[in-house]
Amino acid sequence: SQKIEQNSEALNIQEGKTATLTCNYTNYSPAYLQWYRQDPGRGPVFLLLIRENEKEKRKERLKVTFDTTLKQSLFHITASQPADSATYLCALGDFGNEKLTFGTGTRLTIIP
Amino acid sequence: KAGVTQTPRYLIKTRGQQVTLSCSPISGHRSVSWYQQTPGQGLQFLFEYFSETQRNKGNFPGRFSGRQFSNSRSEMNVSTLELGDSALYLCASTQAWGYEQYFGPGTRLTVT
């Protein structure tokens, strides 16, 4: 069965450093991968989308890579700030339908 | 543009009752998806509607149903509520396949 794992439940990073979150998947050939941020009591907020034929995407301090051979995506936040503290979710999308399959999430805390 | 709205935000029901949740997508978005989020299972896909037709369905029992109206607004219904149905129910809309999904704030359902 399809399985998506995010490297750890919780990650603590010192302010100013780069936070790197991992998303691994098995038994899946996604068409694209998305990263979302979720704050407590709120719905997920879209951050970045990368398609299966793309290797890397950037947006301001965010960078995502996608390696379909390793079946892995890495999500980087550079120059991290306490405001970046949240739960980050990766989600895989199928070809031809809107269903997203989500990972379990990583709770990131940026320590001042 | 106004974001995705969901009503009600909070709901308390008793086992055996039924409940209807409502979602209004972003204007112009015709695809609406529903997800259930629990601490144990994370975010799980319920179903997706496009132009009043259910296109995709997740692995949930038939007690979970939905519909979409001609103005793209969507409702989901859960009948014969069980304690395990307590969760945050999220609605998301998207403009087309392969694009980001915009989530609403969710409806927190508590079944007692």
Side-chain angles (χ1 to χ4, degrees):
Chain A
S1 62
Q2 297 171 347
K3 195 173 179 183
I4 304 172
E5 289 183 333
Q6 294 190 237
N7 56 329
S8 52
E9 270 193 42
L11 188 62
N12 296 328
I13 299 291
Q14 207 69 37
E15 182 178 3
K17 301 292 185 185
T18 296
T20 298
L21 284 64
T22 305
C23 177
N24 294 295
Y25 59 92
T26 55
N27 297 324
Y28 208 141
S29 295
Y32 56 89
L33 186 147
Q34 302 186 23
W35 283 89
Y36 287 81
R37 167 187 173 138
Q38 187 174 25
D39 292 286
R42 298 185 172 225
V45 173
F46 170 78
L47 296 173
L48 281 170
L49 180 153
I50 187 164
R51 301 188 190 280
E52 51 94 28
N53 60 349
E54 297 175 318
K55 296 291 185 189
E56 182 180 300
K57 273 277 185 74
R58 291 173 186 261
K59 180 183 174 183
E60 297 171 354
R61 295 184 297 112
L62 309 179
K63 184 177 89 170
V64 62
T65 62
F66 195 11
D67 189 326
T68 54
T69 301
L70 289 178
K71 295 187 183 297
Q72 181 183 79
S73 174
L74 299 178
F75 179 77
H76 307 273
I77 305 175
T78 59
S80 58
Q81 306 165 0
D84 295 326
S85 298
T87 295
Y88 290 85
L89 299 157
C90 70
L92 302 184
D94 294 333
F95 284 96
N97 73 67
E98 310 300 340
K99 172 187 173 185
L100 287 178
T101 302
F102 280 86
T104 48
T106 295
R107 190 172 64 253
L108 176 67
T109 302
I110 305 300
I111 303 165
Chain B
K1 270 185 184 177
V4 176
T5 58
Q6 292 187 244
T7 56
R9 292 294 312 279
Y10 303 92
L11 209 46
I12 299 175
K13 289 286 188 179
T14 304
R15 267 182 302 176
Q17 288 186 315
Q18 76 165 18
V19 67
T20 299
L21 313 181
S22 181
C23 170
S24 292
I26 289 174
S27 177
H29 287 189
R30 291 160 65 190
S31 169
V32 174
S33 297
W34 288 89
Y35 295 83
Q36 181 197 65
Q37 187 172 33
T38 59
Q41 298 296 320
L43 260 163
Q44 291 188 290
F45 174 79
L46 279 157
F47 28 65
E48 183 248 345
Y49 286 86
F50 181 87
S51 292
E52 302 177 66
T53 301
Q54 185 182 89
R55 290 200 300 191
N56 297 290
K57 191 175 190 311
N59 296 323
F60 280 82
R63 299 185 298 107
F64 292 82
S65 63
R67 61 176 174 168
Q68 187 181 34
F69 303 94
S70 57
N71 61 358
S72 294
R73 191 177 70 83
S74 178
E75 289 181 348
M76 69 163 280
N77 183 277
V78 188
S79 62
T80 320
L81 283 166
E82 300 177 359
L83 294 178
D85 297 333
S86 294
L88 181 67
Y89 289 89
L90 292 158
C91 156
S93 74
T94 185
Q95 63 183 71
W97 175 80
Y99 282 76
E100 63 270 26
Q101 296 198 12
Y102 293 86
F103 283 81
T107 295
R108 172 74 63 187
L109 172 65
T110 302
V111 182
T112 62

